[in-house]
Amino acid sequence: MLKARIITALILLFGLLAALFLLPTPGWLVFCALICAGAAWEWGGLAAFPATSRGLFAVSMGAACVLAGFAVGLGGAAVLPAGVALFYVPSALFWLCVMPLWLARKWTLRHRAAAAAIGFVVLVPPALALAHLRLMGPWVLLAVMAMVWVADISAYFAGRAFGRHKLAPGISPGKTWEGAVGAALGVLAFGGIVVSAAVENTSAVLLAMLVPVLIGFTAVSIIGDLFESLLKRQAGVKDSGTILPGHGGILDRIDSLTSTLPLAGLAALWFVTR
């Protein structure tokens, strides 16, 4: 299992880097749409969609990503900030306002139409954010994704070393508050290094202003992880899929990105329009 996990991780990493740096802009958008479609297929499984509905949902989410991306300029034309924001804002409201209640009350995806609508909000905006942030530069997108990976890795090791107090025992018994603190510290360190390297004459004031932003980013990444854990628990499955040997499904790999990428996209819009 460990060997398969390592081999799959290396293939994913090199495949992602190759696509990120080598694909033309329209090709990258299609690549993002394919990821969205694969995640939508797994979402349909968690929501207990029949096979036909599950396939249609996956195809429609992939198509929606491509059409929306070209419509708002993510296929290579000038980005339309108002158009991209139409997708980011509902996503941000969902993760910041709805999701805390969802996790607290452990709501389920009972109704197919509601599950499809929520799936759109969860899956399409982050796919568009992948295309949007890459337009700002491959390294920008890679830095955002790396922050999520740093949060996951830091939480894992801090939880194993110091974990005593359960974060959400009814959803994901392995997660602890100590792991969450470790994730925040890891993101703060990584974010500080990235900003110091990217910004000349970094001031202590700027770094201090970043602290609540990065802590919030960490919290949202954990919420995305917990949401998928809840859905899997309710569906009675260990992984969202089996396409990635040793890693489960696509949703298992992008759960924290679904919550953080749209917020990073919104932050990018704010930064560009200042």
Side-chain angles (χ1 to χ4, degrees):
M1 177 63 74
L2 179 59
K3 181 179 178 181
R5 191 175 181 86
I6 293 173
I7 292 173
T8 301
L10 291 174
I11 293 173
L12 288 175
L13 177 60
F14 286 112
L16 172 65
L17 292 176
L20 182 62
F21 287 97
L22 299 179
L23 282 178
T25 299
W28 174 256
L29 177 59
V30 172
F31 178 77
C32 297
L34 290 174
I35 295 175
C36 182
W41 169 262
E42 295 176 359
W43 178 274
L46 295 178
F49 286 1
T52 301
S53 299
R54 191 176 174 184
L56 288 173
F57 180 67
V59 171
S60 64
M61 290 300 99
C65 181
V66 171
L67 293 174
F70 279 107
V72 300
L74 300 180
V79 177
L80 302 176
V84 183
L86 283 175
F87 295 93
Y88 291 162
V89 171
S91 176
L93 291 174
F94 175 77
W95 290 109
L96 297 177
C97 301
V98 177
M99 190 46 55
L101 285 174
W102 192 307
L103 294 176
R105 299 182 182 182
K106 298 182 176 60
W107 291 335
T108 60
L109 296 173
R110 293 181 181 176
H111 304 290
R112 195 174 303 165
I118 294 166
F120 179 91
V121 173
V122 169
L123 299 175
V124 173
L128 295 178
L130 283 173
H132 176 205
L133 294 171
R134 199 250 196 172
L135 279 177
M136 299 185 68
W139 289 106
V140 173
L141 174 57
L142 196 57
V144 173
M145 297 176 72
M147 275 202 287
V148 173
W149 301 334
V150 167
D152 287 344
I153 294 169
S154 300
Y156 174 78
F157 284 107
R160 285 191 59 127
F162 309 108
R164 297 293 183 274
H165 304 86
K166 300 297 184 182
L167 178 63
I171 298 175
S172 184
K175 292 181 175 58
T176 63
W177 281 104
E178 291 83 359
V181 172
L185 293 175
V187 169
L188 285 172
F190 180 77
I193 292 171
V194 169
V195 171
S196 297
V199 179
E200 293 184 9
N201 301 319
T202 305
S203 67
V205 174
L206 174 61
L207 293 176
M209 290 173 61
L210 279 175
V211 170
V213 174
L214 294 176
I215 291 176
F217 182 92
T218 306
V220 173
S221 75
I222 293 172
I223 286 174
D225 192 341
L226 286 175
F227 180 49
E228 202 227 349
S229 295
L230 175 62
L231 295 183
K232 289 190 295 185
R233 180 172 288 269
Q234 291 172 340
V237 296
K238 182 179 181 235
D239 299 313
S240 64
T242 57
I243 194 172
L244 304 174
H247 290 266
I250 295 173
L251 278 174
D252 293 317
R253 295 300 93 214
I254 67 168
D255 48 10
S256 295
L257 292 171
T258 59
S259 57
T260 52
L261 282 174
L263 293 176
L266 270 179
L269 288 179
W270 177 85
F271 179 79
V272 169
T273 55
R274 296 304 293 174

